[in-house]
Amino acid sequence: MSETGTARRRLRLGLTWRVIALTSLVLVGLAALVTAHGHGTLERQFQEAREAHQARQHREIRLALERSAEGLRELAALVASAPELARAVQAGDSEGAHRALDGQWPTLQLEAGVERIGVYAPDGTQVAARGGRPAVAPEGIERWLHQVRLDDRPLTALICQAGCRQFSVVPMLVAGETAGMVMLSRSLVDLTRQLHDVSGSDVALLLRGDTMVDQAGDIPRLPEWDAHLLALTRSEVTLPWLQALASEVSMEALASAPRQITIDGRELEINAVTLAEHEAPGGSGYLLLITDITRQLDVIQWHTRNLFFMGLAGWLVAEAILLLILWRPMLRLRRLAQVLPGLAEGGFQRARTAIPVGRPRLADEIDLLETTTLGLADQLEALEREVRRRREQVVSSCAPWGVSGISSAVCWTPPGSLS
């Protein structure tokens, strides 16, 4: 009895809800699959876009460095073309060379960011200079001057030692002969601001491994990277970011590939570009581009949620439509299920009342079942009437024998009386 009751309880889940449950599993699984596929596609497109953006940043940095070097070379050529400076160098007049530089030095320093001008005789002897001390080893300067004197061609270099600077050395030509050389240098600090304006990313100029950094006590230091920050845009915001990044990622790993990191609830992408390494023991320079990609990732999450909610809405709409389609046929089936057991007990009129009589234009299986049920009710009712009539005949044939209340089963029936 317990097993029968359990089986009946298990059968209480109607066909409608079984169909809805199964289709719900399929539709929810399909919605999850579409959402996962859409999220993967968005992530892949985002990564491709970031890779293209990183490559563009590298090109922008290289182009900016080339333009800066070309501009510095042009300034050096302009200084070298001054007639009074050439005459002073030819004559070995150091005071005259200084007077020639005095007219150009303020403009070059303030407008072009030039840190130092050096004027040299053909043999490499310094004739005049303006600005601070040379930020490169003397042997390096001698090598540059020797190369320019031999080739009669300008030379540009990027050196990171006690800071990151660009150098340009141009020959001073008089009557087609090299009368001397002019060397200009300037820092890359101004370049970081230009890159910030062009790329929209925060830019940091970083020098590693050099203990002779200019004004080392006044600039931030990242001990995890053994580095000094020579320049940094929006330092009040980006300096804590870099300090947190340095504690998690090594500079070697960062230089090999860009990294994404979450700091203070912001998603950041840091791209490191190596500038130059000193020819002698010294430091190495890097430009770090820090891009806030929180908004892009939020957009991906927003689209992913929309995909999921659209799939969920589609599932609900589909199930509602399926329920509307199945509800009336299932009602008719339940009605038939309630009527059919009653036919065995003589509920013929109840069946006719419950089942409407009609001729639908498009008959389906339920219509056929209802028609069959009504026909079965008519046949069973006719059979019952026939049984009742014959029983009455049997009873009436027993009456002349004076048998009262006797069962028709024991009452003798004359032959042919039932014909």
Side-chain angles (χ1 to χ4, degrees), residues 208-243:
R208 296 188 67 202
D210 193 335
T211 58
M212 300 300 293
V213 177
D214 297 341
Q215 300 176 346
D218 300 331
I219 62 177
R221 186 173 184 272
L222 299 174
E224 296 85 356
W225 288 346
D226 186 24
H228 290 84
L229 286 169
L230 305 180
L232 182 62
T233 59
R234 297 198 310 152
S235 59
E236 68 283 354
V237 176
T238 52
L239 180 57
W241 290 351
L242 289 179
Q243 290 171 341

Side-chain angles (χ1 to χ4, degrees), residues 33 169 282 357:
L33 182 62
V169 183
V357 179

Side-chain angles (χ1 to χ4, degrees), residues 72-404:
L72 188 62
R73 186 193 64 78
E74 292 176 354
L75 291 174
L78 182 63
V79 173
S81 64
E84 60 274 17
L85 181 61
R87 287 193 296 268
V89 173
Q90 280 184 316
D93 184 3
S94 176
E95 293 183 1
H98 279 95
R99 286 194 300 270
L101 292 178
D102 289 340
Q104 303 182 54
W105 172 242
T107 302
L108 293 174
Q109 186 181 31
L110 297 176
E111 299 296 332
V114 174
E115 291 184 339
R116 187 177 188 277
I117 301 177
V119 181
Y120 300 87
D123 61 356
T125 304
Q126 180 174 297
V127 178
R130 283 289 181 266
R133 62 180 177 83
V136 66
E139 57 271 17
I141 297 178
E142 292 176 2
R143 186 165 53 254
W144 292 345
L145 295 175
H146 179 69
Q147 182 177 348
V148 171
R149 184 170 59 251
L150 290 179
D151 299 340
D152 283 336
R153 296 176 57 185
L155 178 147
T156 59
L158 174 60
I159 299 297
C160 285
Q161 184 183 27
C164 285
R165 293 175 174 85
Q166 285 181 320
F167 295 84
S168 181
V169 183
V170 299
M172 184 183 300
L173 300 178
V174 176
E177 297 293 334
T178 301
M181 284 82 67
V182 174
M183 184 179 73
L184 269 64
S185 67
R186 65 180 172 188
S187 174
L188 292 182
V189 172
D190 291 337
L191 185 64
T192 60
R193 290 189 287 268
Q194 297 174 13
L195 288 174
H196 174 66
D197 295 336
V198 172
S199 66
S201 301
D202 288 301
V203 183
L205 178 60
L206 182 144
L207 179 62
R208 296 188 67 202
D210 193 335
T211 58
M212 300 300 293
V213 177
D214 297 341
Q215 300 176 346
D218 300 331
I219 62 177
R221 186 173 184 272
L222 299 174
E224 296 85 356
W225 288 346
D226 186 24
H228 290 84
L229 286 169
L230 305 180
L232 182 62
T233 59
R234 297 198 310 152
S235 59
E236 68 283 354
V237 176
T238 52
L239 180 57
W241 290 351
L242 289 179
Q243 290 171 341
L245 177 67
S247 63
E248 298 185 19
V249 182
S250 67
M251 176 53 70
E252 289 74 17
L254 184 61
S256 62
R259 292 299 179 96
Q260 293 182 10
I261 187 172
T262 303
I263 301 176
D264 297 334
R266 311 297 298 177
E267 296 290 338
L268 305 175
E269 181 184 76
I270 294 89
N271 189 12
V273 180
T274 304
L275 290 179
E277 292 191 2
H278 197 269
E279 300 166 358
S284 54
Y286 296 87
L287 274 174
L288 303 184
L289 287 92
I290 309 164
T291 307
D292 190 345
I293 58 174
T294 305
R295 181 177 175 276
Q296 292 92 320
L297 293 178
D298 288 343
V299 169
I300 291 177
Q301 296 298 325
W302 182 79
H303 282 294
T304 302
R305 286 194 298 268
N306 282 352
L307 282 175
F308 176 74
F309 287 134
M310 284 190 292
L312 187 63
W315 163 63
L316 293 175
V317 171
E319 294 302 335
I321 294 175
L322 183 61
L323 185 61
L324 290 176
I325 293 174
L326 293 179
W327 189 257
R328 183 174 177 82
M330 290 299 105
L331 281 178
R332 296 169 65 186
L333 285 178
R334 282 195 296 270
R335 184 173 58 199
L336 287 172
Q338 294 172 356
V339 166
L340 285 174
L343 294 179
E345 300 174 358
F348 311 116
Q349 187 57 39
R350 178 186 174 190
R352 295 189 185 95
T353 303
I355 300 176
V357 179
R359 293 182 178 180
R361 293 182 179 181
L362 299 175
D364 55 17
E365 290 79 0
I366 299 179
D367 295 318
L368 178 60
L369 183 59
E370 289 180 343
T371 303
T372 304
T373 301
L374 291 176
L376 178 61
D378 293 340
Q379 292 178 7
L380 289 176
E381 186 178 18
L383 182 60
E384 185 177 356
R385 285 198 302 268
E386 180 64 22
V387 171
R388 188 182 301 112
R389 184 182 65 79
R390 294 199 177 195
R391 183 182 298 159
E392 291 175 355
Q393 289 180 357
V394 171
V395 173
S396 62
S397 64
C398 292
W401 300 87
V403 180
S404 176

